Amino acid sequence: MSLFVGSVAAVGFLCGWAVAQAGENPAGRPPAVPLVVHDPYFSIWSFGDRLTDDWPRHWTGRVQAMCGMVRVDGTAFRVMGLPSPDIPAMKQTGLRVLPTRTIYEFEGGGVKVGLTFFSPVLPKDLDVLSRPLTYIVWEVRSIDGLTHAVQVYFDNTAELAVNEPQQRVVWDRGSADGVIWMRMGTEEQPVLAASGDDRRIDWGYVYTAVPQGVPFRTVLADAGKAREAFRTEGDIPRADEKDQPRRADNRWPAAVCCFDLGEVADTAKTCRLMPAYDDIFSIQYFGENLRPYWRRNGWEAEDLLRAADREYASLLQRAAAFDEQLLAEAEGVGGRGYANLLALSYRQAVGGHKLAAGPGGKPMLFSKECFSNGCIGTVDVLYPASPIFMLLDNDLLKATVTPVFEYAAMPRWTFPFAPHDLGQYPLANGQVYGGREHSEENQMPVEESGNMIIVAYVIARNDGDTAYLEPYRPLLETWAEYLKAKGLDPENQLCTDDFTGHLAHNANLSAKAIVALACFGKLCEMWGSAAEAEEYLSLAKSYAKQWVEQADDGDHFRLAFDKPGTWSQKYNLVWDRLLGLDLFGPEVRAKEIAYYKGQLQPYGLPLDNRSLFTKTDWQVWTATLADERADFETLMNPVYRFVDETPDRIPLTDWYWTDSAKVRGFRARPVIGGVFIKMLESPDVRRRFGAWK
């Protein structure tokens, strides 16, 4: 498959197959570009407009150096990283970010270079999606009518396998059915020994694997020496360095690959390699160390590399079809800007989770609160992230709530409401937020109970039955009873937007509880409990009527029932529309949408009247309340402008200032999966992706 499907006049973030339509304001420049993105530890990005502007970085901002160069007729150019001031950057002429692929284009020395980062994180195939492996593919052809001698260079340093560069590392090499691999890891190997937020993995091994193809050589060597040898000689050192263990920042040990493409004419020549990460154990779940899902049946790293090499062509074909379908559907639903937003968000949303094999081998998908507090399996993270899985893979949706349900069923969880989290990543050994397991202080009882019930109902709708939920029915009944008593007029407590502080009589939180009660009533219908279903559905409708009366503030609805002159985004109402619950009526949504249009700032809609900051995910939920496409676009265009113009070059944030486009906090969080919610409003789109009818 050729990467050269067209060129662009300037570097741009495009949907791949066409330019933006007139009158739209699609995101034109991603704040950061996904390169190798699989989970919260194996997550490498480019933070600049060009791949040569800086070193690739972990989502936390730490350098995780990968170097790319091309030597044309004896002259070396860099296409990734900053290896030497003596090596000029090849001109970057194109950039496309697709759901599973990032494609760069360069020109220089009479050749065109395509550089693709392909991560086959395909829904409905958990075995493939869980593989921590990206393909880096080079494609080079002449563009001046001449033939050129071309060599390609790549290295990655041991920074990919350490939390701090002062840690000592070791390395070795091997082969598996013709795939040559090199690996690096820490000497200490502290498996699951620490938790936290601003951390990188320091156990397991980073692999750099090269399949048979064009002539190549590999070496484990001092990165500086290898890069200089390639620049001056078109070659790399002949022997692996033996000076180990040593610190990762001591002459930067690196896994180095050099490909000789020979004489390149106008027919493209390609080469590829595979960076991968074997963490051996991924998550600790109540004292049990869990394997990554791809390892659950006894696979080792070499099995991963063999399978990845063998299946490359078929996976690329599947991924291209998936990318095309997803973006075409997104453009049809929300326009080119919306499709671009989904393209940028897909790998971040999936890569903010880790898929592990839980007890008995059942899939468990653990989120991380990146640059928030580092919590793992947070319920008010899985809830905003859920639309991506609701649409694309119900098994992954189940995998997000399974570890929560299992925890809440343990005797140690004694509260009549759902927990907030499972611990701090990667240690899921019990709630660490608020009052933990000991008190109700700073808990989110209405928030988390409502979240779990809503997601549970969607799971059942997608399955067409309640089989998955049967073991957890007593928990859902308990949480529904709690919302019945406490949900209509919430007490002074936190909600998912906990950075705004405690708030009593929260109208948006009340809306969540009301929607959740209706969802529980629908579950009762599916269980065949007619009387209970009637009770909860009638209660939800009664509560909704009271909500409209208590929250009414003339031309909009209040932030809190007792605070006239206030307003807030009522994003939780979106489920009334998407699930056909018929609780609040279209006039409620219409009144809110009309009011929101008058509150827009240059870069979005503030979360509420108290501050000018907003949440990226919630804005898409709020815009999806609109019945008219024009209103959706009115609310979304400032969001696309934010993505394009924010001065903060980091993986997409979900918390920023609407007046300046500056980041308020958070980055790379999985909640960005919430932007997929607009896709759920179309029955035809849901059907084509296998979601509920």
Side-chain angles (χ1 to χ4, degrees):
M1 173 179 292
S2 174
L3 303 181
F4 299 108
V5 296
S7 61
V8 291
V11 175
F13 169 37
L14 307 176
C15 275
W17 66 86
V19 296
Q21 300 296 313
E24 289 187 316
N25 179 33
R29 181 228 63 189
V33 179
L35 303 178
V36 180
V37 180
H38 291 276
D39 59 53
Y41 284 138
F42 198 33
S43 181
I44 307 171
W45 301 69
S46 171
F47 282 31
D49 286 337
R50 288 163 291 274
L51 195 54
T52 53
D53 285 349
D54 191 12
W55 287 113
R57 295 175 179 270
H58 188 257
W59 69 262
T60 56
R62 292 289 188 92
V63 169
Q64 292 198 328
M66 298 190 299
C67 176
M69 293 185 282
V70 178
R71 199 169 188 264
V72 184
D73 299 327
T75 299
F77 300 88
R78 57 187 171 87
V79 294
M80 177 166 54
L82 300 168
S84 168
D86 297 326
I87 304 174
M90 187 175 279
K91 181 181 179 182
Q92 183 174 311
T93 57
L95 167 61
R96 283 174 291 144
V97 178
L98 304 168
T100 66
R101 293 168 291 159
T102 294
I103 304 173
Y104 286 94
E105 294 177 358
F106 304 87
E107 292 182 8
V111 303
K112 178 184 281 286
V113 178
L115 180 56
T116 295
F117 298 83
F118 165 41
S119 300
V121 282
L122 295 169
K124 294 183 170 64
D125 191 336
L126 302 192
D127 288 302
V128 169
L129 179 141
S130 67
R131 294 177 184 173
L133 180 146
T134 287
Y135 302 92
I136 301 180
V137 185
W138 306 70
E139 181 174 286
V140 185
R141 66 177 175 88
S142 173
I143 55 173
D144 63 1
L146 303 177
T147 299
H148 301 277
V150 177
Q151 295 87 38
V152 168
Y153 175 98
F154 172 87
D155 76 50
N156 62 263
T157 70
E159 288 167 290
L160 278 64
V162 297
N163 180 46
E164 299 289 347
Q166 297 79 23
Q167 291 178 277
R168 287 159 58 90
V169 295
V170 296
W171 53 86
D172 65 353
R173 64 164 58 243
S175 65
D177 293 345
V179 177
I180 304 300
W181 57 260
M182 301 170 285
R183 69 175 183 178
M184 298 180 288
T186 59
E187 177 188 29
E188 184 183 6
Q189 288 294 302
V191 178
L192 294 167
S195 66
D197 190 8
D198 189 1
R199 289 190 62 87
R200 290 133 305 273
I201 196 167
D202 57 3
W203 73 89
Y205 297 91
V206 58
Y207 282 76
T208 307
V210 188
Q212 297 295 331
V214 300
F216 68 91
R217 293 186 55 246
T218 63
V219 70
L220 288 150
D222 176 330
K225 288 183 178 179
R227 295 164 188 166
E228 181 63 13
F230 180 80
R231 182 184 76 85
T232 58
E233 304 168 17
D235 204 352
I236 56 177
R238 294 283 169 172
D240 292 347
E241 293 199 5
K242 301 185 183 301
D243 181 16
Q244 62 168 306
R246 71 175 191 243
R247 285 170 40 149
D249 60 0
N250 180 0
R251 292 171 286 133
W252 300 109
V256 184
C257 308
C258 180
F259 300 88
D260 187 355
L261 298 186
E263 297 296 313
V264 175
D266 56 1
T267 298
K269 289 189 175 183
T270 65
C271 58
R272 59 183 167 89
L273 52 84
M274 303 177 292
Y277 207 102
D278 180 13
D279 57 13
I280 304 171
F281 289 101
S282 300
I283 301 291
Q284 187 173 95
Y285 186 67
F286 295 96
E288 180 179 350
N289 289 352
L290 305 184
R291 295 285 190 185
Y293 192 77
W294 64 270
R295 257 181 170 268
R296 73 192 185 286
N297 292 323
W299 266 25
E300 300 289 345
E302 288 192 346
D303 299 297
L304 170 69
L305 300 178
R306 288 190 195 96
D309 179 42
R310 183 175 62 249
E311 298 170 19
Y312 167 69
S314 63
L315 290 175
L316 182 58
Q317 185 177 30
R318 290 168 58 191
F322 170 72
D323 290 349
E324 182 178 0
Q325 181 190 7
L326 181 62
L327 296 182
E329 297 280 15
E331 185 175 2
V333 165
R336 181 57 54 81
Y338 182 62
N340 282 343
L341 181 62
L342 264 58
L344 179 60
S345 301
Y346 181 77
R347 272 172 284 171
Q348 175 175 323
V350 177
H353 298 82
K354 182 66 177 183
L355 184 60
K362 67 176 65 175
M364 288 186 166
L365 189 64
F366 296 90
S367 63
K368 181 177 183 181
E369 289 205 48
C370 300
F371 269 22
S372 178
N373 60 9
C375 277
I376 184 172
T378 303
V379 174
D380 59 292
V381 167
L382 72 84
Y383 170 71
S386 65
I388 187 173
F389 303 130
M390 290 176 174
L391 176 72
L392 298 176
D393 194 336
N394 205 41
D395 286 338
L396 283 175
L397 185 61
K398 294 174 188 176
T400 67
V401 294
T402 294
V404 179
F405 275 131
E406 296 290 325
Y407 172 39
M410 295 178 184
R412 60 190 291 168
W413 185 256
T414 60
F415 301 113
F417 48 80
H420 169 274
D421 63 82
L422 302 175
Q424 188 179 54
Y425 198 93
L427 306 182
N429 292 323
Q431 181 169 309
V432 297
Y433 187 86
R436 299 176 178 252
E437 297 175 348
H438 313 303
S439 79
E440 295 192 22
E441 182 181 4
N442 292 332
Q443 300 275 11
M444 299 185 187
V446 172
E447 173 73 39
E448 312 301 21
S449 300
N451 292 342
M452 289 295 289
I453 292 173
I454 293 168
V455 173
Y457 175 53
V458 174
I459 287 171
R461 281 281 294 267
N462 279 345
D463 275 346
D465 60 53
T466 60
Y468 166 79
L469 296 177
E470 286 303 324
Y472 312 120
R473 182 171 176 176
L475 287 172
L476 293 167
E477 290 173 341
T478 297
W479 298 338
E481 282 296 306
Y482 185 88
L483 294 182
K484 177 181 175 181
K486 302 285 190 177
L488 173 60
D489 190 8
E491 299 165 340
N492 190 39
Q493 61 189 253
L494 296 170
C495 70
T496 183
D497 306 316
D498 53 355
F499 46 83
T500 62
H502 289 70
L503 180 67
H505 320 298
N506 184 331
N508 188 47
L509 186 59
S510 172
K512 174 175 291 183
I514 295 168
V515 167
L517 288 168
C519 287
F520 184 75
K522 293 291 187 178
L523 282 173
C524 291
E525 285 184 346
M526 297 181 74
W527 283 322
S529 301
E532 197 174 12
E534 173 62 25
E535 175 191 355
Y536 276 95
L537 289 171
S538 297
L539 183 67
K541 290 181 179 180
S542 172
Y543 280 1
K545 183 178 180 180
Q546 295 177 61
W547 185 97
V548 170
E549 295 171 352
Q550 295 175 15
D552 188 58
D553 207 47
D555 60 352
H556 67 281
F557 296 95
R558 300 173 180 177
L559 163 70
F561 295 140
D562 63 338
K563 295 186 181 299
T566 62
W567 67 274
S568 65
Q569 292 188 40
K570 306 300 190 300
Y571 52 82
N572 285 315
L573 289 175
V574 72
W575 300 113
D576 188 34
R577 181 168 187 255
L578 298 181
L579 296 173
L581 301 176
D582 193 27
L583 298 171
F584 293 89
E587 66 279 0
V588 171
R589 299 194 303 271
K591 185 157 80 169
E592 283 289 277
I593 291 296
Y595 188 80
Y596 296 151
K597 290 192 291 185
Q599 304 303 317
L600 282 172
Q601 296 292 312
Y603 296 104
L605 178 67
L607 191 60
D608 58 49
N609 62 274
R610 294 174 291 180
S611 178
L612 288 178
F613 57 58
T614 194
K615 293 279 270 88
T616 312
D617 48 343
W618 295 149
Q619 287 182 95
V620 187
W621 291 40
T622 294
T624 302
L625 291 173
D627 290 322
E628 300 297 327
R629 171 75 170 265
D631 288 337
F632 175 81
E633 292 175 349
T634 296
L635 293 176
M636 288 302 300
N637 280 335
V639 180
Y640 309 146
R641 191 177 304 119
F642 154 72
V643 174
D644 192 27
E645 298 179 10
T646 176
D648 298 298
R649 308 308 300 273
I650 59 174
L652 198 58
T653 184
D654 58 292
W655 188 21
Y656 69 90
W657 295 103
T658 56
D659 58 338
S660 67
K662 292 182 178 179
V663 171
R664 175 64 180 84
F666 310 156
R667 68 171 72 164
R669 298 211 308 164
V671 301
I672 207 65
V675 304
F676 281 72
I677 199 163
K678 177 71 172 174
M679 301 282 278
L680 295 172
E681 77 173 4
S682 166
D684 289 337
V685 171
R686 293 200 307 264
R687 175 180 53 80
R688 286 191 287 269
F689 282 105
W692 73 86
K693 297 179 180 178

